[in-house]
Amino acid sequence: TGEDTLSLHDALPILLVRGPWIVSQYFKGEGGDPLQDGTLVGLEALIRWDSPEFGQMRPASFIPIAEDSGLILQIGAWVLRQACAQIRQWQDAGFEHFVVSVNVSAVQMQHGDFVELVRRTISEFGIAPEMLELELTESTFLDNATLAVEQLRALKQIGLRLSLDDFGTGYSSLSYLWKFPFSKLKIDRSFVNALNESTSAKGILRSIVKLGHGLGLTVTAEGIETTKQYSTLRELGCDLAQGYLLDRPARVSNIPG
């Protein structure tokens, strides 16, 4: 309701003040490359807000409000710092095979100093840039594609990995694959879920995997919850897998290393 939205808007600054005690970083693993061996190769930072008033909230409940209010810039910077700090810990412990991905909002990308923020944070923690991956959806590029191209190329030059998230749900995803310097595409979970309902879903997934490989991209399928989905995607040559079948989101303290 409108009243709940107002209350959330008023409570969001608390998230920034109490940071580590209110918001927990979660990570979910991806399957091996290729899927055959099931090796853990990557982690995605998932933000959860443990609010005393509203309970544990998923991003869909508060990120849109944060974007409208501009607080997403501070939240995004905090998540980036947390991810880089954790990368540094793993790097120092010799766990340099993990890639940690961070979701980026369109509002962050539209802010003029985003590239410099990333560059500065990486430098501050002294991490290997290739251990950090930024995930972006098509909405990131809709307002100003020219600026987005410049920013992504600059981020790529730093040494970051770039991933196109929720592939297949936008209007012009195909054009973004060759215009933007992505290294990975993530198949939207709706296509994976469709394997249980549609006979044509397998053919669509096969085409997406072939398209990604033809462009030299690593292909990840997310939202895998059944052995049938997993075995089908392995058969189709998908590189990485992510979903509850493989592992549930966990606090960073429970991740090896």
Side-chain angles (χ1 to χ4, degrees):
T1 67
E3 185 174 325
D4 288 339
T5 299
L6 182 60
S7 298
L8 279 172
H9 182 279
D10 293 339
L12 273 174
I14 299 175
L15 179 155
L16 298 170
V17 173
R18 300 183 183 174
W21 292 276
I22 297 297
V23 183
S24 301
Q25 283 275 73
Y26 287 76
F27 294 84
K28 54 183 177 180
E30 296 180 344
D33 182 6
L35 282 186
Q36 306 298 328
D37 60 12
T39 303
L40 179 66
V41 297
L43 303 158
E44 180 181 354
L46 302 175
I47 190 170
R48 295 289 187 272
W49 181 15
D50 293 325
S51 167
E53 182 178 357
F54 302 101
Q56 187 177 91
M57 300 179 63
R58 294 180 176 274
S61 301
F62 63 89
I63 290 298
I65 300 172
E67 290 178 327
D68 289 341
S69 67
L71 284 171
I72 191 63
L73 298 176
Q74 298 171 65
I75 295 173
W78 183 84
V79 172
L80 179 64
R81 287 183 60 82
Q82 295 298 306
C84 287
Q86 186 58 56
I87 289 173
R88 182 57 197 241
Q89 288 185 34
W90 280 327
Q91 186 175 292
D92 291 345
F95 290 85
E96 298 185 354
H97 61 286
F98 286 162
V99 175
V100 178
S101 61
V102 173
N103 291 277
V104 178
S105 162
V107 177
Q108 291 174 269
M109 286 290 290
Q110 291 161 9
H111 203 261
D113 69 346
F114 179 70
V115 174
E116 183 55 34
L117 169 67
V118 174
R119 193 194 313 273
R120 190 169 60 245
T121 307
I122 288 175
S123 177
E124 176 185 348
F125 288 96
I127 66 169
E130 62 271 17
M131 292 183 69
L132 177 64
E133 178 178 80
L134 300 182
E135 291 193 9
L136 309 99
T137 63
E138 185 178 328
S139 63
T140 309
F141 321 123
L142 292 181
D143 290 336
N144 193 334
T146 301
L147 175 62
V149 169
E150 294 175 358
Q151 289 176 312
L152 293 185
R153 286 176 178 170
L155 292 167
K156 191 77 170 182
Q157 288 178 350
I158 295 173
L160 301 177
R161 304 179 188 222
L162 301 173
S163 174
L164 178 60
D165 199 9
D166 299 337
F167 178 77
T169 59
Y171 296 102
S172 308
S173 292
L174 290 177
S175 67
Y176 292 140
L177 287 182
W178 63 270
K179 285 183 179 179
F180 295 89
F182 292 111
S183 52
K184 177 194 289 186
L185 69 82
K186 296 184 72 173
I187 303 172
D188 186 72
R189 66 181 63 245
S190 61
F191 293 101
V192 176
N193 291 337
L195 283 172
N196 302 324
E197 306 166 1
S198 171
T199 56
S200 61
K202 184 175 180 179
I204 294 173
L205 286 167
R206 179 184 290 109
S207 298
I208 294 175
V209 172
K210 286 185 176 180
L211 173 64
H213 288 167
L215 293 169
L217 303 176
T218 299
V219 181
T220 296
E222 57 183 344
I224 297 178
E225 298 183 356
T226 69
T227 54
K228 176 184 177 182
Q229 293 170 342
Y230 183 85
S231 61
T232 299
L233 287 157
R234 183 171 58 182
E235 173 193 336
L236 296 177
C238 192
D239 301 302
L240 301 172
Q242 190 175 39
Y244 283 1
L245 177 68
L246 302 170
D247 206 355
R248 294 254 173 185
R251 292 185 183 274
V252 66
S253 58
N254 296 328
I255 302 295

